[in-house]
């Protein structure tokens, strides 16, 4: 399946769910259909096809603070019960967690 060449499918862009825009490493906030000469196709186009990604890598996964296991939490979109985020594959609403160091 051929994907459209745009910032939405670029490796250097991060999705901003509040406005549906893309945060580009080089151009700042751009529209999802924008494309520049630095476009690089993402190797992770769909989360369901990548077996290494799990619920714990999603920004919608909330870690339970009182749990002795740091991988236990819940999905803020779908679940009220706690589960181990390293065991479940991500859903269609998966959005990669932005790591701030």
């Amino acid at each position: 399946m051929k994907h459209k060449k745009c910032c939405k499918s670029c490796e250097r862009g991060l999705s901003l769910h509040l406005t549906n825009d893309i945060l580009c490493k080089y151009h700042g906030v751009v529209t999802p259909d924008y494309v520049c000469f630095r476009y690089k196709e993402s190797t992770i186009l769909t989360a369901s096809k990548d077996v290494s990604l799990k619920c714990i890598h999603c920004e919608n996964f909330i870690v339970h603070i009182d749990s002795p296991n740091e991988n236990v939490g819940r999905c803020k979109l779908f679940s009220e019960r706690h589960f181990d985020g390293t065991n479940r594959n991500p859903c269609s609403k998966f959005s990669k967690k932005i790591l701030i160091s």
Side-chain angles (χ1 to χ4, degrees):
M1 184 173 152
K2 189 119 174 143
H3 292 279
K4 183 181 175 188
K5 189 175 177 179
C6 62
C7 285
K8 190 173 186 177
S9 63
C10 181
E11 187 175 276
R12 297 177 175 111
L14 295 172
S15 178
L16 300 174
H17 294 286
L18 191 61
T19 59
N20 290 330
D21 288 334
I22 305 296
L23 179 60
C24 177
K25 183 176 178 179
Y26 300 102
H27 298 287
V29 178
V30 295
T31 60
D33 58 344
Y34 179 79
V35 65
C36 71
F37 68 93
R38 293 185 180 190
Y39 172 81
K40 184 175 181 183
E41 187 173 356
S42 177
T43 56
I44 305 171
L45 291 176
T46 56
S48 59
K49 291 183 182 178
D50 189 359
V51 292
S52 64
L53 291 176
K54 298 293 183 183
C55 282
I56 197 159
H57 301 118
C58 182
E59 68 180 16
N60 296 316
F61 186 79
I62 302 170
V63 178
H64 186 62
I65 298 170
D66 297 335
S67 174
N69 186 350
E70 60 192 35
N71 298 329
V72 174
R74 69 177 183 85
C75 176
K76 71 179 180 183
L77 298 177
F78 298 114
S79 180
E80 285 299 319
R81 60 190 166 90
H82 292 86
F83 61 91
D84 187 355
T86 58
N87 291 335
R88 286 197 179 174
N89 291 331
C91 65
S92 63
K93 302 290 184 187
F94 177 83
S95 177
K96 194 169 183 181
K97 192 181 287 186
I98 299 171
L99 299 175
I100 301 171
S101 51

